[in-house]
Amino acid sequence: GVALFGSGAASTHTSGSARVRRTAAEPADLYAVAATAVAGALIAAFTSSAAPTGTGWIDLLERALAVALVAVAASRARRWSLVFGSVLVTAGAPWPLLLGGLGALGGTVFLVETRVRSRVLGSLVGVAVALVSLGLEVPGPVGMETLLALTATVPILVSGYRRSTSPARSVVKRVALVVVCAAGLAVLLTGIAAVLSVADVSDAVAATEEAVDVATAGEGGESAALFASAGESFRAADSAVGSWWASGTRLIPLLGANLAAVQRSVSAGVDLTSAGEELVSGAEFSEVQLEGGGVDLVALEALQPRVTAAGEALASARSTLDGAESAWLVGPLADRLATVQDRLAETSDNADNAVVAVDGLPAVLGADAPRRYLFLFGNPAESRDMGGHIGNWAELVADGGRIELVEVGGPLDLASPELSETFLDTLPASFATMDPARNPQNLGATPDLPVAMDAAAQLLEQRTSRPVDGVVYADVGAFAAMLGLVGPVEVPGLPGFELDEDNAVEFLTRDQYILFDSPDASGDALEEVISTVFDRLTSTKLAGPDALGATFAPLVEAGRFQFMTYHDEDVEMLEHFSLDGAVPTPEGHDVLGVFNRNAGPSKIDSYLERDVASLIRWDPDSGAVASTVWVA
């Protein structure tokens, strides 16, 4: 203690005409300084989130050591260094650390004004400066907080060192020399490991990207080989950068955080390629689809454990990379890590989608019992709340993975006037006024698919005595996407004219009302077109899940393709993919919906353009909210 803190004799120091009193370093002062340093170290270890090396237990020890050293040095440092450090950290301290900075500043002002040399108070100021330095928030490039923290604390350390006894300085020199030599050796070994692993990492990343592309195309065997190759390269890199002899740099602030990020990225790569190889090994994804249409539910069920395992591996890798984030990362590495995290997040989301789909699709496709679905085709040439009036409908049955078309009809084929009075009592008032029992073309006169499903299911059951398991709403854009899957279809009554994904929307919303002589002729032709499209959809191999998702996801997002059933086990999947078409429940918030409804059979709404804008004004003092909505 005497070596570190000096003798206990009182002394004076003359500066110009001013005289400064120094308090004697009594044993009680030495114990108090030691206690302050230990307390500050414990606070830094267990309350600060600063991660200079990116490794939890190392960061804990280094935070504790840094605060303890500053506390001891501040007990001997000159007051100007305490003033300088207090001012700097106060300038960059966020709330509530600002209170610590102000406390440190207040302590230094007291020391200056009273001209008292208190080792205990100096130590307390040092603890406050060091603790605040660990939590600085300064805008600017990476490392600004670190630069400010060093600028605030290094003068205190230097001043404390210079005012220490000769034996204490000798100890510090020897320790510093050992630390510098060890750090230099660690950096050298890490550099060698980095050079050895660069080629392996590059090969692994290239093979992984190619494996993903091949797997997306449905070629499981080739993809598995590529994943295996990528895994070998990642493991080779991991054996180098993750070796014990290359890990000494983990102890060095800044460098340690960057090495930890590299090691975690490589480790995540090993896990990902292993999961990818396991997922696609021995399985061609195209084999899930049956020849002649439908889905092989046995093959789909066999995929479940592998898809689930892949999803868990992706989630684990994502967590590993998230743990590599640090404010100490150099710019290029931080940017690369952010890019990888974004791609991994997207891939992880896709894996979540796959898990939900593989779990939910068998029941929807009639694995447990046949399912009967009613397709409602909406046409926005006449606006309704859901999008358009119902121009046609189709009945399908899913059984054991295969889908069969039962019937296609026009809206009036579903009419059941005898249910009109019943509907008036059970349907929402706005929907009931459109009398969907007499006019089924108005089944889209509600924005809530579950409500429309109840009405449509009753109408089909009343007409056929066949219960309905679910309802699909698809507008002209969704029907155009279906044509893109099955190819052009010739339109009866219009020789030489084929309907395809490019002209379907224009034809369905406008041209059919011009090219046909009567609504009946148009309706009959469309029933045949719909029958042909569904016959092809249910009897041919379709594109893979990735292509189907890319085609239909924008339509689902826009509400142009919706699907809801009466089976509780389907809800998770349908809600996950936003297919359920239910009006959201506000749950303490507001929901604004603007709908056009045109009950006149003019078909003029295909020329409609609409702009909606809303302005919400909130008074923070009273909490009052007022809104104005413009619809043009």
Side-chain angles (χ1 to χ4, degrees):
V2 172
L4 288 174
F5 299 107
S7 70
S11 61
T12 60
H13 173 70
T14 303
S15 177
S17 61
R19 296 180 62 81
V20 179
R21 294 184 296 108
R22 280 195 195 147
T23 59
E26 299 294 338
D29 292 335
L30 301 181
Y31 294 140
V33 169
T36 301
V38 171
L42 291 174
I43 294 173
F46 297 106
T47 64
S48 174
S49 60
T53 70
T55 302
W57 68 270
I58 297 177
D59 291 331
L60 183 148
L61 293 177
E62 292 192 358
R63 290 195 302 264
L65 180 61
V67 172
L69 286 176
V70 174
V72 172
S75 70
R76 290 300 306 262
R78 292 189 179 277
R79 290 167 301 172
W80 71 264
S81 66
L82 300 181
V83 173
F84 182 70
S86 300
V87 170
L88 280 184
V89 298
T90 301
W95 181 265
L97 287 178
L98 179 62
L99 296 176
L102 293 174
L105 192 58
T108 56
V109 170
F110 175 80
L111 290 174
V112 171
E113 290 298 322
T114 61
R115 297 185 178 277
V116 171
R117 198 82 167 123
S118 170
R119 287 180 171 82
V120 177
L121 184 54
S123 180
L124 287 170
V125 171
V127 167
V129 170
L131 289 175
V132 175
S133 296
L134 294 175
L136 293 175
E137 293 182 4
V138 182
V142 174
M144 285 298 295
E145 292 92 348
T146 304
L147 179 61
L148 184 60
L150 291 174
T151 305
T153 56
V154 167
I156 297 175
L157 294 170
V158 172
S159 179
Y161 166 80
R162 296 181 64 181
R163 289 176 59 82
S164 296
T165 62
S166 294
R169 290 198 297 270
S170 296
V171 170
V172 171
K173 287 178 181 178
R174 288 194 291 270
V175 171
L177 179 62
V178 171
V179 169
V180 170
C181 291
L185 178 61
V187 171
L188 175 63
L189 292 174
T190 301
I192 294 173
V195 171
L196 294 175
S197 63
V198 166
D200 289 324
V201 171
S202 298
D203 292 343
V205 171
T208 300
E209 291 180 344
E210 186 177 358
V212 171
D213 292 339
V214 172
T216 301
E219 300 173 11
E222 183 181 350
S223 178
L226 288 166
F227 273 125
S229 174
E232 291 177 3
S233 297
F234 269 127
R235 280 186 284 273
D238 188 47
S239 66
V241 298
S243 61
W244 66 267
W245 54 268
S247 296
T249 307
R250 294 288 290 269
L251 298 171
I252 305 176
L254 182 61
L255 294 179
N258 288 274
L259 177 60
V262 173
Q263 289 179 337
R264 285 174 177 155
S265 299
V266 172
S267 177
V270 172
D271 294 340
L272 282 175
T273 51
S274 297
E277 183 181 0
E278 172 64 23
L279 176 62
V280 302
S281 180
E284 301 289 342
F285 286 101
S286 58
E287 292 179 1
V288 174
Q289 295 190 46
L290 294 169
E291 292 295 339
V295 174
D296 186 339
L297 297 183
V298 175
L300 188 62
E301 184 178 358
L303 279 178
Q304 285 181 324
R306 286 188 287 173
V307 169
T308 301
E312 292 172 351
L314 283 165
S316 175
R318 190 173 180 181
S319 177
T320 298
L321 285 185
D322 288 345
E325 288 184 336
S326 172
W328 297 62
L329 297 183
V330 295
L333 179 57
D335 293 341
R336 182 60 177 165
L337 181 63
T339 300
V340 173
Q341 284 177 307
D342 290 342
R343 292 196 62 182
L344 185 57
E346 180 182 353
T347 306
S348 183
D349 290 342
N350 289 338
D352 290 341
N353 291 340
V355 170
V356 173
V358 169
D359 286 342
L361 270 178
V364 171
L365 295 175
D368 304 320
R371 293 281 192 91
R372 189 177 306 277
Y373 300 116
L374 178 60
F375 261 74
L376 301 177
F377 290 99
N379 192 330
E382 277 184 35
S383 295
R384 297 291 189 276
D385 308 40
M386 196 174 292
H389 82 290
I390 304 304
N392 292 94
W393 56 271
E395 179 187 357
L396 297 97
V397 172
D399 187 9
R402 293 190 180 273
I403 301 175
E404 178 186 357
L405 176 65
V406 177
E407 185 180 3
V408 176
L412 294 181
D413 294 331
L414 293 176
S416 296
E418 62 274 19
L419 293 179
S420 183
E421 293 298 325
T422 303
F423 274 24
L424 291 176
D425 296 333
T426 60
L427 299 181
S430 177
F431 188 25
T433 59
M434 299 297 285
D435 201 358
R438 296 179 185 274
N439 304 295
Q441 66 268 30
N442 293 333
L443 283 168
T446 171
D448 204 6
L449 181 61
V451 173
M453 178 174 68
D454 288 340
Q458 290 183 60
L459 292 180
L460 184 66
E461 188 170 356
Q462 176 73 13
R463 177 181 179 277
T464 64
S465 299
R466 297 191 291 263
V468 173
D469 292 283
V471 169
V472 177
Y473 173 82
D475 79 348
V476 293
F479 190 70
M482 295 178 191
L483 284 166
L485 297 176
V486 302
V489 175
E490 186 175 343
V491 179
L494 299 177
F497 180 81
E498 289 188 327
L499 196 63
D500 59 35
E501 60 179 326
D502 296 323
N503 62 24
V505 172
E506 181 74 15
F507 175 81
L508 293 172
T509 57
R510 300 183 184 182
D511 293 345
Q512 65 163 314
Y513 307 114
I514 301 170
L515 299 177
F516 285 101
D517 296 332
S518 67
D520 289 339
S522 172
D524 292 342
L526 284 183
E527 287 183 20
E528 289 193 40
V529 169
I530 292 172
S531 295
T532 302
V533 169
F534 274 110
D535 283 339
R536 294 183 186 177
L537 282 172
T538 57
S539 62
T540 58
K541 263 191 175 182
L542 301 178
D546 221 49
L548 290 176
T551 298
F552 284 94
L555 298 168
V556 172
E557 185 177 359
R560 306 180 74 173
F561 189 82
Q562 305 175 25
F563 179 27
M564 190 61 181
T565 77
Y566 286 109
H567 298 271
D568 292 339
E569 64 267 30
D570 302 338
V571 172
E572 179 182 356
M573 181 182 73
L574 298 178
E575 289 184 346
H576 178 85
F577 291 108
S578 301
L579 282 163
D580 58 308
V583 172
T585 303
E587 297 181 353
H589 303 281
D590 292 330
V591 173
L592 170 65
V594 179
F595 309 104
N596 279 65
R597 179 191 292 178
N598 182 359
S602 62
K603 308 300 185 290
I604 198 174
D605 294 333
S606 59
Y607 298 94
L608 174 66
E609 294 181 6
R610 186 181 75 173
D611 291 319
V612 179
S614 62
L615 173 65
I616 301 175
R617 294 176 297 279
W618 171 57
D619 186 334
D621 295 326
S622 66
V625 177
S627 63
T628 303
V629 179
W630 290 268
V631 183

